[in-house]
Amino acid sequence: PPRGGSPTPGRRRPGPRPARRASEHHPRHRPADGAGLAGRTRRTARRPRRRQLVAHAGLDPRHVRSGTSVELKPRISKVGNRRLREALFLPALVAIQREPRTRAFYDALLQRGKAPRQAQVAVMRKLLHAVWGVLHYLTPFDPARLFPDRQPAS
């Protein structure tokens, strides 16, 4: 190799690679954080509204109707950014397990007859609203503002 430089272009240096955690190898395995979510929302409008951000994530409801005979149950559209939905999924599950106000919201949806997956998607949407509020108003996250009418179960 040239003095003080790297080996010839296109060749790797021999030797072991530095140890890396599994979470660094693939973007799907990295933990979701605020910067990652903010980065995934950059392709929307310059200052998107909440509804635009929810549609960008594909968490908005899609109604299927055809005349008077076909009316299916609403589902999420899934038209938006799949990686943004993936980044919200585990934080939503953790929030349901660990955050009392979120759990109260989730339980209320289940009491109203929603399926567990529907309630999880509703929590994902709420968390996306929280991300939007934090980025838009530059304020720290406060679950009391996200769920003002929900009191934690004692």
Side-chain angles (χ1 to χ4, degrees):
R3 187 173 183 145
S6 62
T8 55
R11 298 183 113 190
R12 294 182 183 220
R13 283 192 173 151
R17 288 184 175 176
R20 294 171 71 182
R21 294 192 318 236
S23 63
E24 296 173 357
H25 288 288
H26 196 277
R28 279 183 146 180
H29 299 233
R30 291 187 190 134
D33 59 0
L37 289 174
R40 290 183 177 99
T41 62
R42 295 284 161 104
R43 294 190 180 190
T44 57
R46 187 170 179 195
R47 293 200 59 166
R49 292 185 294 256
R50 269 189 307 206
R51 290 179 125 186
Q52 289 174 320
L53 189 57
V54 167
H56 177 70
L59 293 174
D60 53 330
R62 184 178 125 217
H63 301 279
V64 178
R65 292 188 185 130
S66 177
T68 58
S69 61
V70 177
E71 186 167 349
L72 301 177
K73 291 191 290 188
R75 301 179 183 276
I76 62 171
S77 68
K78 293 187 182 179
V79 173
N81 189 331
R82 175 179 56 99
R83 295 196 191 270
L84 185 53
R85 280 193 307 278
E86 288 173 355
L88 288 167
F89 181 72
L90 282 180
L93 292 183
V94 170
I96 290 167
Q97 289 178 348
R98 305 283 183 201
E99 213 290 305
R101 292 176 191 269
T102 307
R103 182 66 193 202
F105 174 71
Y106 177 79
D107 288 339
L109 290 173
L110 293 179
Q111 290 294 323
R112 287 181 14 205
K114 301 293 182 192
R117 182 69 69 184
Q118 283 179 303
Q120 290 168 359
V121 170
V123 170
M124 288 168 58
R125 185 177 169 132
K126 276 280 199 180
L127 289 180
L128 191 58
H129 284 192
V131 168
W132 180 86
V134 166
L135 294 175
H136 187 78
Y137 295 111
L138 302 176
T139 58
F141 175 70
D142 181 15
R145 291 186 68 185
L146 188 60
F147 302 105
D149 56 341
R150 304 277 174 220
Q151 293 301 320
S154 299

